[in-house]
Amino acid sequence: QQPVQSPQAVILREGEDAVINCSSSKALYSVHWYRQKHGEAPVFLMILLKGGEQKGHEKISASFNEKKQQSSLYLTASQLSYSGTYFCGTERRGGGADGLTFGKGTHLIIQP
Amino acid sequence: NAGVTQTPKFRVLKTGQSMTLLCAQDMNHEYMYWYRQDPGMGLRLIHYSVGEGTTAKGEVPDGYNVSRLKKQNFLLGLESAAPSQTSVYFCASSWGQGARYTFGSGTRLTVV
């Protein structure tokens, strides 16, 4: 079962903030966040691990609520370069490294 | 440059033809993955490998086979291509659970 992302799409003005949410029905070991620009490969942004550890990008923050199996990605003072599709990927608890399950993505458009 | 290399980048096949997609990584990662990406569906796991000589099925394995004879290479085969296999295919590698994925640049496959 894919995690559910919301919203599906966001249009912002440069400098505005955005929050993207990711929710899973499974007990999770970690949540990953990637950004993909059109025609390119997904690029790593952030990992949030069970227990609270975060690894990733300096200018982007995220949270992971282990009780609710939910994660949120926070983009502050957005720049034009933030445009793209954001995917969360989840690793289930007890699954080892059997692959990330990705959400369907959130399209973010930043306008000048 | 260190990373994941996929070949070919583009391919057009006729229904029933076969082909092999090659993924090579030079980061000494144990884990490798094949995903397909279709519009509005996110990335879905086809097969994965947790080490040289091992493979396992992901979410959408039907119609595909894989092999990992060498640690650095992960091959994805289509024995008899079907139009439903028209997609963009991404390979990824990682150190393991809780570690970031590095993606290749993708292969755009069209089956006519």
Side-chain angles (χ1 to χ4, degrees):
Chain A
Q1 290 175 330
Q2 290 180 283
V4 177
Q5 287 188 233
S6 62
Q8 290 185 329
V10 184
I11 300 175
L12 297 176
R13 294 284 184 190
E14 198 172 5
E16 293 181 335
D17 301 338
V19 180
I20 301 172
N21 302 302
C22 176
S23 178
S24 176
S25 59
K26 298 180 180 180
L28 299 178
Y29 176 81
S30 72
V31 180
H32 296 217
W33 288 96
Y34 293 81
R35 176 171 62 212
Q36 185 180 34
K37 294 186 180 288
H38 184 69
E40 298 181 5
V43 174
F44 169 76
L45 294 175
M46 178 79 66
I47 293 176
L48 300 107
L49 301 172
K50 176 179 174 296
E53 182 181 358
Q54 293 189 23
K55 298 186 285 187
H57 203 284
E58 290 182 356
K59 296 186 178 180
I60 296 173
S61 62
S63 64
F64 178 25
N65 185 322
E66 292 178 41
K67 288 185 179 180
K68 294 185 176 181
Q69 307 305 316
Q70 294 175 347
S71 177
S72 295
L73 185 71
Y74 305 96
L75 305 170
T76 57
S78 58
Q79 305 170 15
L80 293 176
S81 62
Y82 286 7
S83 291
T85 303
Y86 289 75
F87 293 98
C88 69
T90 57
E91 285 182 304
R92 61 188 179 92
R93 217 175 289 172
D98 61 357
L100 291 175
T101 302
F102 287 92
K104 294 184 178 182
T106 296
H107 301 283
L108 178 64
I109 299 172
I110 310 295
Q111 297 177 335
Chain B
N1 293 332
V4 178
T5 302
Q6 289 184 235
T7 53
K9 294 191 185 303
F10 302 95
R11 185 74 186 267
V12 178
L13 283 181
K14 293 183 178 179
T15 299
Q17 286 185 322
S18 64
M19 78 164 294
T20 300
L21 282 67
L22 171 63
C23 176
Q25 54 96 1
D26 59 5
M27 296 169 286
N28 204 33
H29 285 168
E30 287 291 337
Y31 300 85
M32 297 186 74
Y33 307 88
W34 276 107
Y35 285 88
R36 61 176 289 173
Q37 185 173 34
D38 303 294
M41 296 297 294
L43 295 118
R44 292 182 293 168
L45 183 64
I46 304 171
H47 286 281
Y48 65 99
S49 168
V50 300
E52 181 178 314
T54 74
T55 63
K57 294 181 180 180
E59 179 188 356
V60 289
D62 294 343
Y64 305 95
N65 57 76
V66 288
S67 65
R68 184 126 182 246
L69 300 180
K70 293 184 178 181
K71 185 177 183 178
Q72 64 267 34
N73 295 336
F74 194 29
L75 305 178
L76 178 71
L78 288 74
E79 291 186 347
S80 180
S84 60
Q85 294 177 305
T86 293
S87 189
V88 180
Y89 292 85
F90 285 101
C91 175
S93 68
S94 81
W95 286 113
Q97 191 177 32
R100 63 188 289 179
Y101 282 27
T102 300
F103 284 87
S105 58
T107 297
R108 184 173 294 275
L109 175 66
T110 302
V111 183
V112 298

